[in-house]
Amino acid sequence: MKAILGIAPIAWSNDDLPELGGETTLETCLSDARRAGFSGVETGGKFPKSSAELGPILDAHDLRLCGGWYSGTVLDKDLEEEKDQAAEQLELFRDLNAPCLVYGETSGTIQNVRDAPLDGRRKLDGDQFREYGRKLTSFCEWCADEGMTIAFHHHMATAVETEDDIDALMNNTGAAVGLLLDPGHLAFARGNILETVRKHASRICHVHAKDVRSEVIESLDRSRESFLDAVLKGAFTVPGDGSLDYRAIVQALADSGYEGWFVVEAEQDPELAPPAEYAAIGYRALSQAVVAAGYSVEE
C-alpha cells in the first residue's frame, strides 16, 4: 500500500484569521513544506488561481498539488449556479492533477465568525439531510464527469460536524460523494474516529492529519466561545504534538484498505507554533505512523 504525505498552508497563513501569518509569503510556505519532506501541498488564499501561474511555482519546489478547500453552498444554492461557481477551481485542479477537491459546506457556516458560539451552528433534520444528499450527489456526479473527485470535509461549526451528521450524509448520498476523514475535527466534535473509519471506509478518499490538544477542547465554553476562539487558544496541532493516537488511526485506515494522501493540516498561531518547526514534527510523526502501518511512502 502507498501513502503520500502532504501539508496544507494554513499553518503559515490562515485565511479566516489574517492576523495569523498574514505577512508570510507563499515562497516561505512552499520552501518550508518541501524542506520538511512533504511531497505535496493543498491550496490556500495566497496561491495563484490559474495552472499557468501555479504549475511552474510548484514545479520549482518539487511539490504536487494534493487538493484544497472549496467553499460549497449546495445546501442553499441552485445546482447550476453551484456548478458555475466551482468551474474555475475544477479546471485548476484538473490541470494540475490534484487527487480531489475538498468540499466544505459553507451555507450558514459560523466557522469564520469570531463572535458566533460553537453551539449555535446550523443543524439539519432527517428530511433536510435527504434533500441535501440528493442535491450533493448530483453535484458530485457532475464533478466526476468533469474529471474531479469530491472529498467532503466534515468541519466544526458547519451543518455537517458530528459523527451522526457524517452518518446521515453518507446514508443519504451516492458513491460520488467521497469522504475526507479529519480526525482532529471529529475529536473536537466528540466523535469516535476509529468507528467512523470502520463504518465509512469505502467512501474515505482523502485524509487530513490534524491533531488536537484535548485539554484546550475540553476547557471551551461552547455556548459562548467560537471556532476561531478555539483556534486562537491552540485547539489544533500537528500529529506528534497532540492528544490523538495517530498510529492507531493510520493503522485503522490501512486495515480498511485506504491508500493515497495524508495531509497535515493544523491552524495555529505561527508566533507560538513556528510553521517550519511544526511541519517537521508533523512529517516525522506521520511518516513513522504510515510505515508502522505497512505503507510505503511515495515521493
Side-chain angles (χ1 to χ4, degrees), residues 59-228:
D59 288 344
H61 291 275
D62 193 24
L63 289 166
R64 288 185 266 173
L65 182 63
C66 61
W69 177 270
Y70 169 74
S71 294
T73 50
V74 166
L75 182 57
D76 288 344
K77 189 173 286 186
D78 174 79
L79 275 178
E80 294 308 311
E81 191 178 352
E82 191 72 39
K83 292 173 185 178
D84 289 342
Q85 176 179 296
E88 182 180 14
Q89 193 167 344
L90 286 180
E91 180 180 10
L92 171 66
F93 280 31
R94 187 173 57 241
D95 286 351
L96 296 181
N97 298 311
C100 64
L101 183 149
V102 174
Y103 182 102
E105 183 54 63
T106 59
S107 295
T109 185
I110 56 170
Q111 70 197 81
N112 56 354
V113 182
R114 182 70 188 274
D115 61 354
L118 282 158
D119 283 348
R121 61 109 182 177
R122 186 172 183 176
K123 298 178 183 178
L124 305 181
D125 62 25
D127 288 341
Q128 289 170 319
F129 261 116
R130 280 187 285 277
E131 175 59 17
Y132 178 49
R134 181 192 65 76
K135 288 179 66 181
L136 186 65
T137 299
S138 294
F139 176 73
C140 293
E141 288 173 344
W142 174 79
C143 291
D145 289 341
E146 294 293 309
M148 185 52 53
T149 297
I150 297 298
F152 188 98
H153 192 334
H154 57 96
H155 197 289
M156 289 299 300
T158 72
V160 183
E161 175 187 277
T162 67
E163 183 179 352
D164 286 345
D165 292 338
I166 296 169
D167 292 346
L169 183 79
M170 293 293 96
N171 291 338
N172 286 285
T173 53
V177 183
L179 178 64
L180 181 150
L181 179 75
D182 189 315
H185 277 278
L186 194 50
F188 197 151
R190 302 184 176 120
N192 187 316
I193 299 164
L194 301 185
E195 180 65 10
T196 298
V197 172
R198 186 194 66 78
K199 286 185 291 190
H200 303 300
S202 66
R203 305 284 288 276
I204 296 172
C205 61
H206 204 56
V207 175
H208 273 179
K210 186 196 298 287
D211 210 329
V212 297
R213 296 183 176 95
S214 58
E215 67 278 10
V216 174
I217 288 172
E218 293 309 314
S219 71
L220 292 169
D221 179 351
R222 298 186 187 213
S223 69
R224 185 176 58 84
E225 293 180 284
S226 67
F227 176 72
L228 294 183

Side-chain angles (χ1 to χ4, degrees), residues 236-280:
F236 296 128
T237 187
V238 299
D241 185 58
S243 306
L244 300 182
D245 183 350
Y246 255 87
R247 292 220 173 188
I249 294 167
V250 173
Q251 187 64 61
L253 286 161
D255 292 344
S256 78
Y258 175 79
E259 287 189 276
W261 286 95
F262 291 82
V263 180
V264 171
E265 188 207 34
E267 49 266 64
Q268 301 190 78
D269 184 340
E271 293 296 320
L272 302 176
E277 177 184 335
Y278 276 75

